Amino acid sequence: EAQVTQNPRYLITVTGKKLTVTCSQNMNHEYMSWYRQDPGLGLRQIYYSMNVEVTDKGDVPEGYKVSRKEKRNFPLILESPSPNQTSLYFCASTKTQTADPFTGEQFFGPGTRLTVL
Amino acid sequence: RKEVEQDPGPFNVPEGATVAFNCTYSNSASQSFFWYRQDCRKEPKLLMSVYSSGNEDGRFTAQLNRASQYISLLIRDSKLSDSATYLCVVNTYLSGGTASKLTFGTGTRLQVTL
C-alpha cells in the first residue's frame, strides 16, 4: 500500500530535550516536505527536499533541522524544543515539484501531535 | 495580506443543501490551484484540482477566476459525510522555474446536519 508514515504519532516532551520525528514514504517520490499546522494559521512549510541530499528552508524553519540521506526518509529534528513548537506536524511527499507539470497531489502522513512543556 | 484567504466558517447546512466556498489568492503569478479536504485531526487529502475552464467531479464543482484571483468550490446535495474542513491550495512557481511552492489556506469548516 502506497503511504507516508510518521513516528511517533503523539509526543509530549520537555523544553530542551532533543527529539526526532521520522517520516518515510514507499512511493519512490523525489519531493518531501514538513509542515506544521496551528489553529488560525493553516499549514506552513518548515523544510522541503527536492531529492537526496538536497534540502531547503520553507516558511518557518527556525528551530528545526532535516536531513535526506535516502530517498524514502526525511526526518525532522528539533535540537532544543520550545513550547512554541507545540503543534501538529505533517510530512508529505510528491513525485516531483518541478514546474513541468505539477499535479498538485501531495501525499500526507497521518500527523504527529507534539506538545512541548 | 495573506497569500491565500478563506472564510473559516463554520458553514452549517442541512443535508441536501448546496453550499459554496470561495478562496482568494494574492500572487497573480500562481499557476495551479487545488482543493484539499481535511477531516478532524487527520491528514489533508486532495479533493480536486481547479482548471481555468471549471471542472466537475460528481457533486463537486470547482471554478477558477484568474482576473479576480479567486477559486470556488460548490458542493451540491450535501451529505453528512461531507462534513470536514476544505483547504484552498495555490501552487506558485519559484524564480528560475525549477521548483514550485504550495501555499495552503487556513480552511473553511463545513458541518452538514440532519
Side-chain angles (χ1 to χ4, degrees):
Chain A
E1 180 191 353
Q3 60 182 348
V4 179
T5 56
Q6 292 178 229
N7 280 293
R9 295 288 313 280
Y10 303 90
L11 179 60
I12 300 174
T13 189
V14 295
T15 299
K17 187 176 181 182
K18 181 179 178 180
L19 66 93
T20 299
V21 184
T22 64
C23 172
S24 184
Q25 50 93 6
N26 63 0
M27 295 169 279
N28 200 35
H29 284 168
E30 294 173 356
Y31 185 97
M32 297 184 74
S33 58
W34 275 102
Y35 296 89
R36 61 178 289 174
Q37 187 173 34
D38 302 287
L41 296 176
L43 279 155
R44 293 179 293 167
Q45 191 179 55
I46 302 170
Y47 267 95
Y48 65 94
S49 169
M50 295 187 69
N51 215 323
V52 176
E53 302 291 4
V54 181
T55 64
D56 210 343
K57 297 177 180 178
D59 297 316
V60 287
E62 293 76 24
Y64 305 94
K65 284 174 58 176
V66 293
S67 68
R68 187 90 181 272
K69 293 183 169 48
E70 307 162 280
K71 201 170 189 178
R72 63 183 296 138
N73 296 323
F74 190 44
L76 179 70
I77 303 155
L78 284 72
E79 294 270 4
S80 183
S82 61
N84 65 11
Q85 292 178 298
T86 293
S87 188
L88 177 59
Y89 291 86
F90 288 105
C91 178
S93 76
T94 191
K95 180 157 181 56
T96 178
Q97 194 110 347
T98 56
D100 180 28
F102 179 58
T103 66
E105 183 159 22
Q106 291 220 342
F107 294 85
F108 285 83
T112 295
R113 189 165 290 278
L114 172 66
T115 300
V116 183
L117 302 174
Chain B
R1 183 184 172 188
K2 285 183 180 178
E3 290 185 62
V4 180
E5 290 204 67
Q6 295 182 251
D7 182 341
F11 283 55
N12 294 301
V13 303
E15 206 174 14
T18 296
V19 61
F21 311 134
N22 282 339
C23 162
T24 59
Y25 61 95
S26 61
N27 190 337
S28 59
S30 296
Q31 293 292 326
S32 46
F33 310 88
F34 313 92
W35 285 102
Y36 275 67
R37 171 189 168 133
Q38 185 175 24
D39 294 299
C40 188
R41 297 171 181 264
K42 298 280 187 69
E43 70 272 26
K45 293 183 180 178
L46 180 67
L47 178 67
M48 60 196 302
S49 302
V50 187
Y51 303 122
S52 297
S53 54
N55 49 301
E56 192 173 307
D57 182 2
R59 297 181 294 106
F60 299 83
T61 301
Q63 297 273 1
L64 165 64
N65 185 318
R66 285 191 185 273
S68 301
Q69 294 183 206
Y70 77 84
I71 69 173
S72 64
L73 177 67
L74 180 79
I75 305 175
R76 289 181 299 277
D77 189 22
S78 300
K79 313 288 185 194
L80 292 174
S81 57
D82 294 333
S83 299
T85 296
Y86 291 84
L87 306 177
C88 171
V89 184
V90 174
N91 186 51
T92 306
Y93 296 135
L94 302 176
S95 59
T98 58
S100 62
K101 175 188 170 184
L102 287 181
T103 302
F104 288 77
T106 54
T108 296
R109 193 154 70 87
L110 172 66
Q111 184 67 49
V112 181
T113 57
L114 287 170

